[in-house]
Amino acid sequence: MKVRIHRGAAEIGGNCIELEAQGTRILLDLGRPISAALDENVPLPNVSGLERGGDPSLAGVVLSHPHIDHYGLIPQMAPTVPLYMGEAGYRILSEAAFFTGAAVLPRPIGFLRHREPFEIGPFRITPYLNDHSAFDAYSLLVESDGLRLFYTGDIRAHGRKAGIFEELLRRPPENVDVLLMEGTQVRANSDGTERGPSERDVENDCVGTFRETTGAVLALFSPQNIDRLVTFYRAALRSGRDLVMDLYSATIAAATGLATIPQAQWDSVRVYLPRSQRSRVIRERAFHHTDAVRARRIYPEELAARRGELVLMFRESMAREFEVAGCLDGAHAIWSMWPGYLQQPSGERLRSTLDRLGIPLTIHHASGHAFVPDLQRLVSALAPTSVVPIHSFAGDRFGEFFPRVERQPDGAWWPV
Ligand SMILES: [Zn+2]
């Protein structure tokens, strides 16, 4: 079995790894680089059969999780290339496409299930469910020719599924030859001991801010970050508030297919239909979306009257209608995404809108990626023959924190 990292050896995002055994090839992830602008044309990696199809030696693409830096180039590949991913992840991306305008992915021919191996040609693949900020995320064990590569995908140990990370350490795959490990938190200035807030810390910090706020709490986080949805729901409950989802968020929560994720039908959850989403539903005649939450809708008069009892999922584009509704007196905004976005044009627009309205902005956020001490525990548990960095801007520093590191550059084939 041999390996070629097309992208990701020296950056965070754009992951794409090609594996070859016995003349058959598969890809792990096909991501868009994070550095690419939304309207930028990013060519597919140079993989035979990927763009035009018709090359039977390309047997499939396996996606670790539904984050754009891991699947974003899928709409550009030939739809005849077989696709494998998590079933809930596929449902989430399919439902999100209606609201975001993103391309719909081709229907997968196989779905990943926790610790259930399947075969693609000479490759035997075992998915391991992960703790990550994307729902339905997996690490992938790939076996062929008697060799084993374990690709972490994106992984962490401090989210709501931390238990599954600990299970991986307790029951790791054995005899791993190559550990292809993400290192988002391995940075140029890391000393290897840093830790940041956990998902529980975010919940506790939110409870503090919710209780101090007299008006509405405006919550800014990705509706596809289901861990964070649970965190905000729990913090709302603990501070005596209702969580008001927008229709997009309510639709994604339903798409998880999990009864343990906060749903529109729950007590303490209501659904608001922002103007932009209402226009879209009417334009596309997609009334099944609104019918599904009809009994749980909340309207502007109630938002204003009960603003001190509500946590509103919010985007800058909703500021004007909330202002007109009179529900922003005493409001406090909570940013719960990567803080770097606040420096980008959309973040600057948000900050200037909040400034104009006199609304304070507080950051409560936890990373989707494991801290170095947790990665060290992972390496110890798997005890691989070699550790190859991916999804990091500081692969050159892996050797200071982990044993048996072998860096591989983008574009070169190497044997497992
Ligand atoms: Zn990710």
Side-chain angles (χ1 to χ4, degrees):
M1 177 160 57
K2 60 181 187 173
V3 187
R4 171 161 67 164
I5 299 173
H6 284 278
R7 192 155 200 160
E11 68 190 284
I12 292 171
N15 275 32
C16 180
I17 303 126
E18 186 175 12
L19 302 179
E20 181 178 335
Q22 302 168 30
T24 297
R25 295 168 297 123
I26 57 171
L27 294 184
L28 308 182
D29 286 340
L30 186 54
R32 240 180 106 80
I34 283 186
S35 54
L38 276 179
D39 54 355
E40 191 175 326
N41 175 44
V42 179
L44 283 170
N46 183 21
V47 174
S48 174
L50 187 60
E51 188 160 9
R52 294 168 185 274
D55 183 342
S57 72
L58 180 61
V61 178
V62 187
L63 299 184
S64 63
H65 67 284
H67 267 162
I68 199 156
D69 60 325
H70 292 254
Y71 77 86
L73 297 184
I74 292 285
Q76 293 170 231
M77 82 172 186
T80 51
V81 178
L83 179 64
Y84 301 79
M85 64 184 294
E87 189 168 10
Y90 176 69
R91 278 200 307 269
I92 285 172
L93 290 185
S94 301
E95 293 286 2
F98 173 80
F99 293 96
T100 63
V104 178
L105 302 193
R107 189 167 174 78
I109 69 157
F111 291 120
L112 312 184
R113 294 188 217 290
H114 182 48
R115 290 183 185 258
E116 289 187 20
F118 64 98
E119 268 150 38
I120 308 177
F123 300 98
R124 181 181 161 94
I125 298 165
T126 311
Y128 289 74
L129 189 65
N130 263 352
D131 183 6
H132 182 45
S133 48
F135 193 72
D136 205 20
Y138 297 87
S139 298
L140 300 166
L141 175 68
V142 183
E143 300 169 79
S144 195
D145 298 338
L147 296 163
R148 294 179 147 202
L149 175 141
F150 189 85
Y151 168 49
T152 58
D154 287 354
I155 195 167
R156 66 175 171 180
H158 57 270
R160 296 211 164 266
K161 287 196 297 296
I164 210 133
F165 182 87
E166 302 304 328
E167 183 198 284
L168 176 63
L169 301 198
R170 274 198 315 275
R171 291 202 300 133
E174 292 176 353
N175 305 318
V176 169
D177 297 286
V178 170
L179 172 60
L180 190 54
M181 186 172 78
E182 76 120 312
T184 312
Q185 298 283 1
V186 181
R187 301 176 197 280
N189 59 357
S190 298
D191 69 13
T193 64
E194 298 96 342
R195 285 183 175 277
S198 68
E199 208 60 39
R200 295 264 172 209
D201 294 332
V202 174
E203 180 183 324
N204 291 333
D205 293 345
C206 281
V207 170
T209 306
F210 292 9
R211 287 182 177 157
E212 287 164 9
T213 300
T214 55
V217 172
L218 307 179
L220 292 119
F221 61 93
S222 164
Q224 296 185 37
N225 184 345
I226 301 296
D227 265 22
R228 196 58 44 84
L229 175 71
V230 174
T231 292
F232 271 76
Y233 170 76
R234 290 174 55 96
L237 275 195
R238 288 173 56 190
S239 46
R241 291 174 181 256
D242 287 350
L243 177 66
V244 179
M245 299 182 187
D246 63 318
L247 183 64
Y248 171 26
S249 307
T251 304
I252 297 302
T256 63
L258 261 195
T260 51
I261 302 301
Q263 302 288 342
Q265 288 70 23
W266 286 19
D267 290 348
S268 308
V269 177
R270 302 290 296 279
V271 180
Y272 176 71
L273 185 59
R275 267 209 305 252
S276 63
Q277 293 175 15
R278 190 179 64 185
S279 309
R280 196 177 282 267
V281 166
I282 293 170
R283 193 169 63 238
E284 310 280 336
R285 307 195 62 74
F287 300 108
H288 61 284
H289 284 304
T290 40
D291 288 349
V293 299
R294 184 193 306 261
R296 307 300 303 160
R297 293 270 299 270
I298 187 167
Y299 294 89
E301 308 70 46
E302 190 178 346
L303 290 183
R306 294 186 55 217
R307 62 186 182 275
E309 303 161 21
L310 302 175
V311 175
L312 310 176
M313 291 186 67
F314 179 74
R315 268 181 288 283
E316 198 269 339
S317 61
M318 295 157 70
R320 184 72 192 136
E321 60 200 275
F322 279 176
E323 187 182 3
V324 170
C327 58
L328 295 181
D329 292 346
H332 194 133
I334 296 182
W335 181 261
S336 199
M337 291 181 270
W338 180 56
Y341 290 136
L342 284 171
Q343 311 309 323
Q344 295 176 359
S346 61
E348 283 171 10
R349 205 160 52 236
L350 169 75
R351 285 187 293 147
S352 83
T353 297
L354 294 176
D355 279 349
R356 178 177 66 75
L357 295 166
I359 298 174
L361 178 68
T362 299
I363 298 174
H364 295 316
H365 180 56
S367 171
H369 303 276
F371 306 118
V372 172
D374 292 323
L375 292 176
Q376 288 170 326
R377 292 196 296 135
L378 179 67
V379 173
S380 298
L382 267 68
T385 308
S386 68
V387 177
V388 177
I390 195 164
H391 206 273
S392 178
F393 285 117
D396 58 322
R397 300 208 54 209
F398 265 54
E400 298 170 48
F401 306 124
F402 313 108
R404 303 182 299 284
V405 171
E406 290 179 21
R407 291 188 76 195
Q408 302 289 352
D410 282 345
W413 286 105
W414 41 277
V416 170

